[in-house]
Amino acid sequence: MRSLDGTVWATSTSAANNNWTSVTYGNGLFVAVSASSTTSNVMTSPDGITWTLQTGASSNSWQAVTYGNGLFVAVASTGSGQVMTSTDGVTWTSRTSAADNCGKQSLTATVSLWQWRQLAAVIVS
C-alpha cells in the first residue's frame, strides 16, 4: 500500500507474492524485505508503485530493514548470517550478527543513533 498523505491509501502490486515484512526508504529508493525463505526476498522501488525483485544475501526469514548513514541494514529471525547490508538496495552482503537464532523481529535506526555510527536491533524472545 502507499499514501501521499497518510489518510488516503492505494494498493500496489509487489514484485512477487512473498511474505513482505518490512519496508524502508533511503537514497531515493524504497526497499522491502520478505520472511519467505527464498533468495528473491528483497524488492526495490523508486516510487512505491513499480517494484523490482532483488536477491538477498541469503534465504533467511528477513523481518526488518532500515536505512541510515548511506547503508540499508536488514535483520532475520532464522538462519546464519542474520544481518545483511547494502549501499544500493540491490547488492546485499551477509554480515555476522552478535547472536544467531534469537528471534530478531524489529530494527530501529534513528538520526541520533546514526550520528554515533551505531545501529540498534531489538531482540524479541
Side-chain angles (χ1 to χ4, degrees), residues 23-32 42-52 54 65-68 71-72 86-92:
V23 65
T24 193
Y25 182 82
N27 200 26
L29 194 67
F30 290 97
V31 174
V42 176
M43 66 177 175
T44 58
S45 173
D47 57 12
I49 299 169
T50 304
W51 292 89
T52 302
Q54 308 294 348
V65 63
T66 193
Y67 179 84
L71 193 66
F72 291 99
S86 174
T87 56
D88 61 6
V90 176
T91 303
W92 291 86

Short mmCIF file of all heavy atoms in Angstrom, two decimals, residues 23-32 42-52 54 65-68 71-72 86-92:
data_model
loop_
_atom_site.label_atom_id
_atom_site.label_comp_id
_atom_site.label_asym_id
_atom_site.label_seq_id
_atom_site.Cartn_x
_atom_site.Cartn_y
_atom_site.Cartn_z
N VAL A 23 9.46 -2.41 5.22
CA VAL A 23 9.87 -1.53 4.13
C VAL A 23 10.52 -0.29 4.72
O VAL A 23 10.16 0.16 5.81
CB VAL A 23 8.67 -1.17 3.21
CG1 VAL A 23 7.65 -0.35 3.96
CG2 VAL A 23 9.13 -0.45 1.96
N THR A 24 11.49 0.25 4.00
CA THR A 24 12.14 1.49 4.41
C THR A 24 12.41 2.32 3.17
O THR A 24 12.27 1.84 2.04
CB THR A 24 13.45 1.21 5.18
OG1 THR A 24 13.90 2.41 5.81
CG2 THR A 24 14.55 0.68 4.27
N TYR A 25 12.81 3.56 3.38
CA TYR A 25 13.14 4.45 2.28
C TYR A 25 14.48 5.11 2.55
O TYR A 25 14.73 5.58 3.66
CB TYR A 25 12.07 5.53 2.10
CG TYR A 25 12.34 6.45 0.93
CD1 TYR A 25 11.99 6.07 -0.36
CD2 TYR A 25 12.96 7.67 1.12
CE1 TYR A 25 12.24 6.90 -1.44
CE2 TYR A 25 13.21 8.51 0.04
CZ TYR A 25 12.86 8.12 -1.23
OH TYR A 25 13.11 8.95 -2.30
N GLY A 26 15.33 5.13 1.55
CA GLY A 26 16.61 5.80 1.67
C GLY A 26 17.30 5.92 0.34
O GLY A 26 17.10 5.09 -0.54
N ASN A 27 18.08 6.95 0.17
CA ASN A 27 18.87 7.15 -1.05
C ASN A 27 18.00 7.11 -2.30
O ASN A 27 18.40 6.59 -3.33
CB ASN A 27 19.99 6.11 -1.12
CG ASN A 27 21.10 6.53 -2.05
OD1 ASN A 27 21.33 7.70 -2.29
ND2 ASN A 27 21.81 5.54 -2.60
N GLY A 28 16.76 7.63 -2.20
CA GLY A 28 15.86 7.69 -3.35
C GLY A 28 15.21 6.37 -3.71
O GLY A 28 14.69 6.23 -4.83
N LEU A 29 15.20 5.41 -2.79
CA LEU A 29 14.70 4.07 -3.11
C LEU A 29 13.94 3.47 -1.93
O LEU A 29 14.38 3.57 -0.78
CB LEU A 29 15.90 3.16 -3.44
CG LEU A 29 15.62 1.83 -4.11
CD1 LEU A 29 15.07 2.04 -5.53
CD2 LEU A 29 16.91 1.02 -4.18
N PHE A 30 12.78 2.88 -2.22
CA PHE A 30 12.09 2.05 -1.24
C PHE A 30 12.69 0.66 -1.31
O PHE A 30 12.93 0.14 -2.40
CB PHE A 30 10.59 1.95 -1.56
CG PHE A 30 9.83 3.22 -1.33
CD1 PHE A 30 9.56 4.09 -2.38
CD2 PHE A 30 9.36 3.53 -0.06
CE1 PHE A 30 8.84 5.24 -2.17
CE2 PHE A 30 8.65 4.70 0.16
CZ PHE A 30 8.39 5.56 -0.90
N VAL A 31 12.93 0.05 -0.15
CA VAL A 31 13.44 -1.32 -0.08
C VAL A 31 12.56 -2.10 0.88
O VAL A 31 12.31 -1.65 2.00
CB VAL A 31 14.91 -1.36 0.40
CG1 VAL A 31 15.37 -2.79 0.61
CG2 VAL A 31 15.81 -0.66 -0.61
N ALA A 32 12.08 -3.27 0.45
CA ALA A 32 11.27 -4.15 1.28
C ALA A 32 11.96 -5.50 1.40
O ALA A 32 12.64 -5.95 0.48
CB ALA A 32 9.88 -4.33 0.67
N VAL A 42 14.04 -9.65 -1.47
CA VAL A 42 14.16 -8.19 -1.39
C VAL A 42 13.49 -7.62 -2.64
O VAL A 42 13.58 -8.21 -3.72
CB VAL A 42 15.65 -7.74 -1.36
CG1 VAL A 42 15.76 -6.22 -1.38
CG2 VAL A 42 16.36 -8.32 -0.16
N MET A 43 12.78 -6.50 -2.48
CA MET A 43 12.28 -5.81 -3.66
C MET A 43 12.52 -4.31 -3.48
O MET A 43 12.57 -3.82 -2.35
CB MET A 43 10.81 -6.12 -3.95
CG MET A 43 9.80 -5.65 -2.98
SD MET A 43 8.11 -6.04 -3.58
CE MET A 43 7.15 -5.52 -2.17
N THR A 44 12.71 -3.63 -4.59
CA THR A 44 13.02 -2.21 -4.57
C THR A 44 12.07 -1.45 -5.48
O THR A 44 11.53 -2.00 -6.43
CB THR A 44 14.47 -1.95 -5.02
OG1 THR A 44 14.65 -2.48 -6.34
CG2 THR A 44 15.48 -2.57 -4.07
N SER A 45 11.90 -0.16 -5.15
CA SER A 45 11.05 0.69 -5.97
C SER A 45 11.50 2.14 -5.84
O SER A 45 11.73 2.62 -4.73
CB SER A 45 9.59 0.58 -5.52
OG SER A 45 8.79 1.53 -6.20
N PRO A 46 11.59 2.86 -6.96
CA PRO A 46 11.93 4.28 -6.87
C PRO A 46 10.73 5.14 -6.48
O PRO A 46 10.89 6.26 -6.00
CB PRO A 46 12.39 4.62 -8.28
CG PRO A 46 11.65 3.63 -9.15
CD PRO A 46 11.53 2.38 -8.32
N ASP A 47 9.50 4.59 -6.65
CA ASP A 47 8.31 5.40 -6.43
C ASP A 47 7.24 4.75 -5.53
O ASP A 47 6.20 5.36 -5.28
CB ASP A 47 7.67 5.76 -7.78
CG ASP A 47 7.33 4.52 -8.61
OD1 ASP A 47 7.36 3.39 -8.09
OD2 ASP A 47 7.04 4.71 -9.81
N GLY A 48 7.46 3.52 -5.06
CA GLY A 48 6.47 2.82 -4.25
C GLY A 48 5.35 2.21 -5.07
O GLY A 48 4.43 1.62 -4.52
N ILE A 49 5.42 2.33 -6.38
CA ILE A 49 4.39 1.79 -7.27
C ILE A 49 4.93 0.61 -8.08
O ILE A 49 4.35 -0.47 -8.08
CB ILE A 49 3.86 2.89 -8.22
CG1 ILE A 49 3.23 4.02 -7.40
CG2 ILE A 49 2.86 2.31 -9.22
CD1 ILE A 49 2.91 5.26 -8.21
N THR A 50 6.03 0.82 -8.75
CA THR A 50 6.66 -0.22 -9.55
C THR A 50 7.79 -0.86 -8.77
O THR A 50 8.73 -0.16 -8.37
CB THR A 50 7.22 0.38 -10.87
OG1 THR A 50 6.15 1.05 -11.55
CG2 THR A 50 7.80 -0.71 -11.75
N TRP A 51 7.69 -2.17 -8.54
CA TRP A 51 8.65 -2.90 -7.71
C TRP A 51 9.47 -3.87 -8.54
O TRP A 51 8.96 -4.49 -9.47
CB TRP A 51 7.92 -3.64 -6.60
CG TRP A 51 7.31 -2.72 -5.60
CD1 TRP A 51 6.07 -2.17 -5.65
CD2 TRP A 51 7.94 -2.21 -4.42
NE1 TRP A 51 5.87 -1.35 -4.57
CE2 TRP A 51 7.00 -1.35 -3.79
CE3 TRP A 51 9.19 -2.39 -3.82
CZ2 TRP A 51 7.27 -0.68 -2.60
CZ3 TRP A 51 9.45 -1.72 -2.64
CH2 TRP A 51 8.51 -0.89 -2.04
N THR A 52 10.75 -4.02 -8.18
CA THR A 52 11.66 -4.94 -8.84
C THR A 52 12.20 -5.93 -7.82
O THR A 52 12.68 -5.53 -6.76
CB THR A 52 12.84 -4.18 -9.49
OG1 THR A 52 12.31 -3.23 -10.41
CG2 THR A 52 13.78 -5.13 -10.20
N GLN A 54 14.74 -8.38 -6.06
CA GLN A 54 16.20 -8.44 -5.89
C GLN A 54 16.56 -9.70 -5.12
O GLN A 54 15.71 -10.31 -4.48
CB GLN A 54 16.71 -7.21 -5.14
CG GLN A 54 16.27 -5.88 -5.69
CD GLN A 54 16.80 -5.57 -7.07
OE1 GLN A 54 17.70 -6.23 -7.59
NE2 GLN A 54 16.25 -4.54 -7.71
N VAL A 65 13.98 -4.04 7.93
CA VAL A 65 15.00 -3.34 7.17
C VAL A 65 14.92 -1.86 7.53
O VAL A 65 13.85 -1.34 7.83
CB VAL A 65 14.84 -3.56 5.65
CG1 VAL A 65 13.53 -2.99 5.14
CG2 VAL A 65 16.02 -3.00 4.87
N THR A 66 16.06 -1.20 7.54
CA THR A 66 16.11 0.23 7.79
C THR A 66 17.24 0.83 6.97
O THR A 66 18.03 0.11 6.35
CB THR A 66 16.30 0.53 9.30
OG1 THR A 66 16.04 1.92 9.54
CG2 THR A 66 17.68 0.16 9.79
N TYR A 67 17.30 2.16 6.96
CA TYR A 67 18.34 2.86 6.20
C TYR A 67 18.90 4.00 7.04
O TYR A 67 18.16 4.70 7.73
CB TYR A 67 17.75 3.45 4.91
CG TYR A 67 18.76 4.21 4.09
CD1 TYR A 67 19.60 3.55 3.20
CD2 TYR A 67 18.89 5.59 4.21
CE1 TYR A 67 20.54 4.26 2.44
CE2 TYR A 67 19.82 6.30 3.47
CZ TYR A 67 20.64 5.62 2.58
OH TYR A 67 21.58 6.31 1.85
N GLY A 68 20.20 4.17 6.98
CA GLY A 68 20.84 5.29 7.65
C GLY A 68 22.31 5.35 7.31
O GLY A 68 22.94 4.33 7.03
N LEU A 71 23.52 3.37 4.29
CA LEU A 71 23.51 1.90 4.32
C LEU A 71 22.13 1.35 4.65
O LEU A 71 21.49 1.80 5.60
CB LEU A 71 24.52 1.42 5.37
CG LEU A 71 24.90 -0.05 5.38
CD1 LEU A 71 25.68 -0.41 4.12
CD2 LEU A 71 25.74 -0.36 6.61
N PHE A 72 21.66 0.38 3.84
CA PHE A 72 20.48 -0.39 4.18
C PHE A 72 20.95 -1.56 5.05
O PHE A 72 21.96 -2.19 4.74
CB PHE A 72 19.81 -0.96 2.92
CG PHE A 72 19.17 0.09 2.05
CD1 PHE A 72 19.84 0.57 0.93
CD2 PHE A 72 17.91 0.59 2.34
CE1 PHE A 72 19.26 1.53 0.11
CE2 PHE A 72 17.32 1.55 1.53
CZ PHE A 72 18.00 2.02 0.42
N SER A 86 23.49 -3.32 2.46
CA SER A 86 23.59 -2.92 1.06
C SER A 86 23.71 -1.41 0.99
O SER A 86 23.03 -0.69 1.73
CB SER A 86 22.35 -3.37 0.29
OG SER A 86 22.36 -2.87 -1.03
N THR A 87 24.54 -0.91 0.10
CA THR A 87 24.63 0.53 -0.11
C THR A 87 23.62 1.01 -1.14
O THR A 87 23.25 2.18 -1.15
CB THR A 87 26.05 0.93 -0.57
OG1 THR A 87 26.37 0.20 -1.76
CG2 THR A 87 27.07 0.66 0.52
N ASP A 88 23.14 0.09 -2.01
CA ASP A 88 22.23 0.49 -3.09
C ASP A 88 20.88 -0.21 -3.07
O ASP A 88 20.02 0.08 -3.91
CB ASP A 88 22.90 0.27 -4.44
CG ASP A 88 23.26 -1.18 -4.72
OD1 ASP A 88 22.90 -2.08 -3.91
OD2 ASP A 88 23.92 -1.43 -5.74
N GLY A 89 20.64 -1.15 -2.14
CA GLY A 89 19.39 -1.89 -2.08
C GLY A 89 19.30 -3.03 -3.05
O GLY A 89 18.33 -3.80 -3.03
N VAL A 90 20.29 -3.17 -3.91
CA VAL A 90 20.29 -4.22 -4.94
C VAL A 90 21.29 -5.32 -4.61
O VAL A 90 20.96 -6.50 -4.63
CB VAL A 90 20.60 -3.61 -6.33
CG1 VAL A 90 20.70 -4.68 -7.39
CG2 VAL A 90 19.53 -2.57 -6.69
N THR A 91 22.51 -4.95 -4.30
CA THR A 91 23.56 -5.92 -3.97
C THR A 91 23.70 -6.00 -2.45
O THR A 91 23.98 -5.00 -1.80
CB THR A 91 24.91 -5.48 -4.60
OG1 THR A 91 24.72 -5.35 -6.01
CG2 THR A 91 25.98 -6.51 -4.31
N TRP A 92 23.51 -7.20 -1.91
CA TRP A 92 23.49 -7.41 -0.46
C TRP A 92 24.65 -8.27 -0.02
O TRP A 92 25.05 -9.20 -0.71
CB TRP A 92 22.17 -8.06 -0.05
CG TRP A 92 21.02 -7.12 -0.21
CD1 TRP A 92 20.29 -6.90 -1.35
CD2 TRP A 92 20.49 -6.23 0.77
NE1 TRP A 92 19.34 -5.93 -1.13
CE2 TRP A 92 19.44 -5.52 0.17
CE3 TRP A 92 20.80 -5.98 2.11
CZ2 TRP A 92 18.70 -4.56 0.85
CZ3 TRP A 92 20.05 -5.03 2.79
CH2 TRP A 92 19.02 -4.33 2.16
#
